[in-house]
Amino acid sequence: AVQLVESGGGSVQTGGSLRLSCAVSTSIRRGVCLGWFRQFPGKEREGVAAMDSDGGTTYVESVKGRFTISKDNTNNTLYLQMNSLKPEDTAMYYCAAEIWGEVGCYMDHEQVPGYQWRGQGIQVTVSS
């Protein structure tokens, strides 16, 4: 089984920044799709950002220009830099991984909630 552990969440005011980290228990160098999704109370999960195995990225429209997904292959860590945070970004955030191996993995942010592996989630709260 692949384990993912998020960190870096918390509470900030509108306009603030947070960086979420996700430690992955397997190599993320090749053949892996990585991403972040969030869940609002009582609502569906929403794919926020994704990175395919070639490093291509996609984002949900509401976070474009404010959030950036990145990874560190050496430390098997995924990041989500969140700037200019808004109260509507308040949610539980999850990192997720889909492992396809040598064939490569090409999936976008909308598919992140369905990835094979996910973390336990971390709360992000933005106050006005």
Side-chain angles (χ1 to χ4, degrees):
V2 177
Q3 295 181 329
L4 297 90
V5 180
E6 301 95 342
S7 60
S11 298
V12 295
Q13 293 188 326
T14 298
S17 297
L18 284 173
R19 188 176 80 158
L20 303 183
S21 299
C22 174
V24 185
S25 65
T26 190
S27 174
I28 59 173
R29 186 175 298 274
R30 294 186 182 87
V32 181
C33 277
L34 299 162
W36 295 89
F37 68 91
R38 60 190 179 186
Q39 185 152 25
F40 306 102
K43 295 187 179 180
E44 295 288 321
R45 294 170 178 171
E46 177 182 70
V48 175
M51 178 179 286
D52 65 29
S53 57
D54 286 347
T57 59
T58 64
Y59 298 89
V60 67
E61 190 64 33
S62 61
V63 308
K64 285 181 180 178
R66 301 189 297 122
F67 291 12
T68 303
I69 187 172
S70 63
K71 67 173 181 172
D72 179 344
N73 290 332
T74 301
N75 295 311
N76 295 325
T77 302
L78 177 69
Y79 301 101
L80 185 68
Q81 178 67 45
M82 305 186 295
N83 298 329
S84 302
L85 282 160
K86 304 175 181 180
E88 50 264 44
D89 294 318
T90 295
M92 187 73 78
Y93 284 73
Y94 299 82
C95 61
E98 179 83 17
I99 300 172
W100 286 16
E102 292 301 316
V103 298
C105 179
Y106 304 96
M107 303 171 79
D108 66 24
H109 64 277
E110 293 183 351
Q111 297 165 291
V112 175
Y115 282 8
Q116 291 170 302
W117 308 102
R118 66 187 65 163
Q120 292 296 310
I122 195 162
Q123 180 67 37
V124 170
T125 302
V126 185
S127 58
S128 57

